[in-house]
Amino acid sequence: MSLRIFNTLSRGVEPFLPLDPGHVRMYVCGMTVYDLCHLGHARSMLAFDVVQRWLKASGYRVTYVRNVTDIEDKIIARAVKNGETIKQLTDRMIEALHQDADALGIERPTHEPRATDYVPQMLDIVRQLEDKGLAYRSPNGDVNYAVRKFAGYGKLSGKSLDDLRAGERVAVDDGKQDPLDFVLWKSAKADEPAEAKWDSPYGMGRPGWHIECSAMSCETLGESFDIHGGGADLQFPHHENEIAQSEGATGQPLARFWMHNGFVRVDNEKMSKSLGNFFTIREVLEKYDAETVRFFVLRAHYRSALNYSDAHLDDARSALKRLYTALAAVKAEMPASIDWKQPFAARFKAAMDEDFGTPEAVAVLFDLATEVNRTRDAALAGVLRALGGVLGLLQQDPQSYLQAGGTGDGLDEAAIADQIAARAAAKASKNFAEADRIRQELLAQGIVLKDGPAGTTWERT
């Protein structure tokens, strides 16, 4: 079975083959770096981290580009409010982004372009669009895109110009010939910092948000590439406008496959900074270990909504512990490479080849863990660990994972060892009531004791 991907552009699952045999080029819209990343951002980064991991596991060379938007209205406003330069703010937030992504086991993209480094390329696209009659200069100094002059507008989102005409009842923004038009180049405002202004044939100004990704994707991956990704909220208008800009300028399809991950929801509302219902990655990691958070996200399909709650994360940790418990019971013999004909590996591959089906792939891991528990087969344990590694899971020492985190953090290992020794002494003297008391006391503090042939081990609940 070959890889199939749901393509937002066609609204269906299609067989995937890259434009260049053996080489996948993928662009994903990254963060606007004016604040710390929240769990919704983590969901998008994790979704496409798994995509690029599976593409590599499938034998492809992958050029993965995830941009950084480091010039935008919110960034300017935040920098002014903080009394710092735009670069000081964005450098700080990019470093925080990297720390958060690294904690979640998200591999760095091949390239991470910053918008401010690509302003000349943006201006070149604006010039091409103006030459083709798809852009016009406004009296206020802006340069806008003439949406109605691009025949394919709406093909990604499924929105027709008729659907969008409700906007015509709203007053046209300054300088726009049509309310559907969007800005390519913003004229500089007197009260904006000097570092937010660039010289151009249109006067001092800065790029609009949509033109940034058109320029960065074309410069790093070429005029046409394989996969363009991002959150579902970017499908319209951002990605629709990218298509209009890039294809209007080059006459070539921008991306063959368009992928969009679902929202993270809190109380049935999308998690977002504008709604104020968000949890930063750092806040979540104060309560839960990073692998539990990663596992929580990957248990859901990337296109589905993901409901955030402490109960769901608690359940994810309990489930992940079941996998580590299977690995803790037997020393895994890691295979040099995964044999995809092995029955469990074949099922895992079939799941991932069907639009990166992580829920089904995770189900295979649990079936495999059950078999490891039954057989104590070191080779099967190695397969479990290797398949988990494809998803960025199960790479920690099992006993260390089981003894970290959880609700028993108040007791250190030395104190727990002392209690286990006291319990062993009580059992040796046949004081079983005292031994049971120690077990129950530790359990009340979140420490579970497990007796086995090699002695007593423990883990946190």
Side-chain angles (χ1 to χ4, degrees):
M1 179 179 176
S2 60
L3 176 62
R4 288 159 33 99
I5 300 176
F6 182 88
N7 189 353
T8 307
L9 188 62
S10 66
R11 295 159 188 75
V13 178
E14 301 178 22
F16 175 80
L17 285 174
L19 295 169
D20 297 333
H23 180 205
V24 179
R25 290 170 292 150
M26 179 171 74
Y27 184 93
V28 175
C29 289
M31 309 309 138
T32 300
V33 286
Y34 69 97
D35 205 344
L36 295 172
C37 292
H38 59 61
L39 194 60
H41 299 133
R43 206 273 168 95
S44 182
M45 289 192 288
L46 282 166
F48 291 100
D49 179 58
V50 168
V51 168
Q52 64 90 22
R53 282 172 181 262
W54 183 245
L55 290 168
K56 289 176 181 176
S58 300
Y60 290 113
R61 178 168 70 92
V62 179
T63 301
Y64 173 28
V65 179
R66 188 186 69 217
N67 79 292
V68 171
T69 293
D70 61 347
I71 184 68
E72 197 257 356
D73 291 346
K74 296 186 186 74
I75 293 173
I76 296 170
R78 182 63 59 88
V80 170
K81 179 182 177 181
N82 290 354
E84 61 184 329
T85 67
I86 290 172
K87 192 169 190 313
Q88 286 172 334
L89 171 65
T90 56
D91 282 353
R92 185 161 52 84
M93 290 298 104
I94 291 169
E95 176 59 27
L97 182 159
H98 288 159
Q99 291 171 359
D100 292 346
D102 291 348
L104 292 171
I106 296 167
E107 295 180 344
R108 298 284 179 97
T110 315
H111 304 291
E112 192 177 50
R114 299 188 184 193
T116 51
D117 292 332
Y118 291 80
V119 174
Q121 290 88 340
M122 298 173 202
L123 286 168
D124 187 55
I125 294 174
V126 174
R127 177 192 58 76
Q128 293 179 63
L129 293 171
E130 188 178 25
D131 290 346
K132 293 185 176 184
L134 292 170
Y136 59 90
R137 306 185 192 199
S138 303
N140 65 359
D142 290 350
V143 182
N144 295 319
Y145 190 97
V147 165
R148 294 183 188 274
K149 293 185 178 180
F150 180 69
Y153 196 83
K155 63 183 178 181
L156 180 67
S157 61
K159 297 179 183 291
S160 69
L161 292 179
D162 289 338
D163 294 333
L164 297 168
R165 278 176 183 162
E168 293 178 357
R169 294 193 293 271
V170 181
V172 176
D173 291 343
D174 289 344
K176 289 186 178 180
Q177 296 174 359
D178 188 292
L180 301 183
D181 296 347
F182 58 89
V183 66
L184 298 167
W185 184 260
K186 294 185 176 184
S187 178
K189 295 180 176 62
D191 61 347
E192 291 179 337
E195 61 178 327
K197 302 173 184 177
W198 284 263
D199 196 10
S200 81
Y202 316 105
M204 296 297 291
R206 59 185 171 88
W209 175 40
H210 308 301
I211 197 68
E212 296 176 0
C213 285
S214 286
M216 288 184 280
S217 64
C218 181
E219 184 69 15
T220 55
L221 295 175
E223 293 179 353
S224 296
F225 47 91
D226 299 296
I227 299 171
H228 195 313
D233 54 333
L234 299 181
Q235 182 180 343
F236 184 87
H238 183 53
H239 289 167
E240 194 73 71
N241 291 350
E242 272 192 71
I243 289 174
Q245 294 164 158
S246 297
E247 297 186 5
T250 68
Q252 302 297 319
L254 175 56
R256 183 171 167 229
F257 282 81
W258 288 81
M259 296 178 63
H260 294 92
N261 65 272
F263 298 132
V264 176
R265 295 190 172 276
V266 179
D267 295 329
N268 293 317
E269 284 190 312
K270 173 198 166 191
M271 182 182 288
S272 70
K273 290 176 180 174
S274 60
L275 293 174
N277 65 344
F278 69 94
F279 300 91
T280 66
I281 295 171
R282 296 183 176 202
E283 288 172 333
V284 177
L285 291 180
E286 287 176 1
K287 297 180 68 175
Y288 297 95
D289 67 277
E291 190 168 356
T292 290
V293 177
R294 184 180 182 96
F295 183 71
F296 161 69
V297 172
L298 299 190
R299 281 208 300 181
H301 191 271
Y302 77 90
R303 285 192 287 117
S304 66
L306 181 65
N307 293 312
Y308 174 87
S309 72
D310 285 355
H312 287 134
L313 277 158
D314 288 339
D315 181 67
R317 174 162 173 81
S318 295
L320 185 58
K321 283 177 61 180
R322 285 168 50 201
L323 297 177
Y324 269 116
T325 298
L327 290 173
V330 56
K331 185 174 179 57
E333 294 178 359
M334 290 293 289
S337 61
I338 297 173
D339 176 8
W340 294 110
K341 293 180 181 179
Q342 195 275 347
F344 287 102
R347 287 175 52 205
F348 183 97
K349 182 179 188 302
M352 292 300 292
D353 275 345
E354 186 62 18
D355 195 30
F356 308 99
T358 55
E360 295 80 8
V362 167
V364 174
L365 299 184
F366 281 102
D367 289 346
L368 185 48
T370 298
E371 191 66 10
V372 170
N373 286 331
R374 187 183 70 83
T375 64
R376 294 295 193 265
D377 188 315
L380 279 181
V383 174
L384 173 59
R385 194 173 176 91
L387 292 177
V390 173
L391 300 178
L393 300 170
L394 305 180
Q395 301 307 292
Q396 299 185 55
D397 173 72
Q399 201 60 46
S400 297
Y401 178 81
L402 293 170
Q403 293 179 353
T407 58
D409 284 343
L411 288 177
D412 61 28
E413 293 187 19
I416 296 169
D418 287 345
Q419 291 285 71
I420 290 174
R423 177 172 174 266
K427 289 172 70 177
S429 63
K430 300 190 184 306
N431 189 349
F432 298 113
E434 174 64 7
D436 190 56
R437 185 197 67 77
I438 293 171
R439 175 191 283 274
Q440 293 302 319
E441 184 179 278
L442 286 172
L443 182 61
Q445 298 178 77
I447 304 299
V448 178
L449 300 184
K450 294 189 174 184
D451 296 320
T456 301
T457 60
W458 61 271
E459 62 185 58
R460 299 184 193 272
T461 59

